[in-house]
Amino acid sequence: MHILVLNGPNLNMLGIREPEHYGTQTLADLTAMIEAEAARLGITVECRQSNHEGELVDWIQGAYGKADGILINPAAYTHTSVALLDAVKAVSLPTVEVHISDPDTRDEFRKISYIRQACIATVKGKGFPGYIEGMQILVRHIAAKRR
Ligand code: CA2
């Protein structure tokens, strides 16, 4: 089983600023945590981060026929991007939306998520462990479909 893990704009700044929202650990720490969980689950992952919407769309399209599922924190594009929603719909791969903070309890403009309607689950407000929970949800979903 192979899962594509995508992080959107500014998440390369993790651990550098805004610890009140996103904690003190870095993107490299997050990637290491996800890779360790993947090894424990006996699956493979590819972790990528981009500040560019089109690049994220390209990577989602590239997952078609290669990955079994997608775990994505679209960051600010959560609240703006029909393109990411359409890309997830186009590849029709099981996708889980994850957020480190809980955007629903922050600014009004963070309450809308375009991608959510194409996702099998959303994990939010649980910090980095939310990515682990999201992976586990995906793995269970994919394994159940194979049975
Ligand atoms: O809570 C999340 O994971 C978010 O997806 C993070 C996005 C935000 O726009 C969403 O509403 C919720 C922002 C990511 C910015 O990451 C930074 C990390 C460190 C310092 C500055 C920004």
Side-chain angles (χ1 to χ4, degrees):
M1 194 183 296
H2 182 65
I3 289 175
L4 177 65
V5 181
L6 296 179
N7 278 297
N10 296 306
L11 287 165
N12 54 317
M13 298 291 281
L14 282 172
I16 300 169
R17 297 220 35 214
E18 300 190 43
E20 67 282 11
H21 288 306
Y22 309 118
T24 54
Q25 289 184 293
T26 65
L27 182 62
D29 295 330
L30 175 61
T31 301
M33 190 184 289
I34 291 167
E35 287 174 351
E37 177 65 6
R40 196 188 71 77
L41 293 168
I43 64 164
T44 56
V45 285
E46 184 176 1
C47 298
R48 293 182 168 189
Q49 186 274 332
S50 179
N51 293 326
H52 304 279
E53 187 176 18
E55 189 161 44
L56 292 163
V57 169
D58 287 344
W59 290 342
I60 292 168
Q61 290 183 9
Y64 184 71
K66 294 205 181 84
D68 300 294
I70 299 171
L71 178 65
I72 184 168
N73 182 346
Y77 291 140
T78 308
H79 319 301
T80 62
S81 181
V82 177
L84 290 182
L85 167 65
D86 286 348
V88 168
K89 281 184 171 172
V91 297
S92 194
L93 286 168
T95 298
V96 171
E97 173 193 15
V98 62
H99 298 284
I100 298 165
S101 68
D102 182 353
D104 293 332
T105 63
R106 297 176 61 190
D107 319 87
E108 272 304 305
F109 63 81
R110 293 185 202 275
K111 289 186 179 157
I112 185 157
S113 166
Y114 285 96
I115 206 166
R116 193 160 301 169
Q117 62 170 269
C119 293
I120 60 161
T122 298
V123 182
K124 55 191 176 70
K126 296 188 173 174
F128 283 12
Y131 284 76
I132 303 303
E133 187 177 325
M135 273 171 72
Q136 292 168 350
I137 291 168
L138 257 184
V139 168
R140 272 200 302 272
H141 178 92
I142 296 161
K145 271 200 316 189
R146 285 183 179 173
R147 265 187 237 124

